[in-house]
Amino acid sequence: MTTITVPAEEVDVTPPAHPDGEAGWLYLVMWPSGDLLYSDNLGEIVVASIQDDRYQDFLDDESDEAHDACLVMRYEELCDLGSKVQAYLVEEGVEQRGALDLNTVGEDVLTALFSDRHVPFAGVWRDGATSYEWTEDVPLVAIATDYAPFTSRPAPTGRVVMLDPSSEMGYCLSLAALGLFEFFTKAVVAVGG
């Protein structure tokens, strides 16, 4: 595993040399502080961004138990972040944009907006049936592994922010989508046939 962190005040436009003399780094993370993290390993990026310190303990373990433990830690982190983002979106939608009137939306909409992100979206009642299409102005934050194809529960459609803990790449892309960091990957070109 190769990872280098460069403090913002030391950054120039040239990436640091790769320790193995390779052509370059696979991943680059830029934190809001301006600090850069160059890495060849997504696990190291997760370690640098997750609240659970135990993630580091599983990086070199290829067992099913280790993979499951890492999935649970990524899931818990995204549920926590998702709940905070959902609360922000509701507050911003009510107070700043007037896009949501809490007195007129149905109980099912309120439940979806104010439930912890550990509670999967169960749909809303619309036209005499349960609908999984989210049409409210305030986006719904959901966790991908709570829905198909990971479970039999239908995934919500419409104005949905879907956070994906199913893989380290999905986790990093989710954090980038939330604006917690900027995430770049090196294009890898397969040669040969």
Side-chain angles (χ1 to χ4, degrees):
M1 286 179 241
T2 305
T3 304
I4 293 181
T5 300
V6 180
E9 61 271 5
E10 296 179 22
V11 174
D12 66 19
V13 295
T14 307
H18 194 282
D20 295 337
E22 306 232 349
W25 300 93
L26 290 178
Y27 309 107
L28 169 63
V29 170
M30 184 166 66
W31 303 98
S33 66
D35 291 355
L36 299 176
L37 183 143
Y38 292 89
S39 183
D40 289 328
N41 184 286
L42 288 169
E44 292 292 339
I45 296 171
V46 175
V47 166
S49 61
I50 200 165
Q51 298 297 312
D52 196 325
D53 294 334
R54 297 174 304 136
Y55 204 92
Q56 175 76 43
D57 300 338
F58 295 101
L59 286 184
D60 295 324
D61 189 338
E62 293 295 324
S63 70
D64 289 343
E65 294 80 12
H67 286 283
D68 291 347
C70 289
L71 172 61
V72 168
M73 285 184 266
R74 291 189 306 267
Y75 176 83
E76 292 297 327
E77 184 80 7
L78 289 181
C79 282
D80 182 52
L81 290 170
S83 292
K84 292 173 183 172
V85 169
Q86 187 70 76
Y88 168 79
L89 291 171
V90 168
E91 180 181 343
E92 192 263 343
V94 170
E95 295 179 7
Q96 295 180 13
R97 292 188 301 120
L100 180 67
D101 183 353
L102 298 177
N103 296 315
T104 61
V105 296
E107 187 66 32
D108 49 358
V109 171
L110 293 173
T111 298
L113 290 173
F114 288 102
S115 291
D116 184 271
R117 295 303 94 183
H118 287 92
V119 178
F121 176 61
V124 292
W125 190 252
R126 189 176 299 125
D127 299 326
T130 300
S131 172
Y132 294 93
E133 182 179 4
W134 187 258
T135 60
E136 301 297 324
D137 281 336
V138 172
L140 176 69
V141 178
I143 308 298
T145 52
D146 287 335
Y147 308 99
F150 303 100
T151 72
S152 60
R153 187 179 296 111
T157 59
R159 295 181 55 92
V160 178
V161 177
M162 192 67 75
L163 305 179
D164 183 7
S166 68
S167 66
E168 290 174 339
M169 179 62 83
Y171 177 85
C172 290
L173 292 172
S174 295
L175 294 185
L178 292 175
L180 298 178
F181 58 51
E182 290 185 55
F183 179 62
F184 303 92
T185 63
K186 180 179 180 182
V188 179
V189 179
V191 178

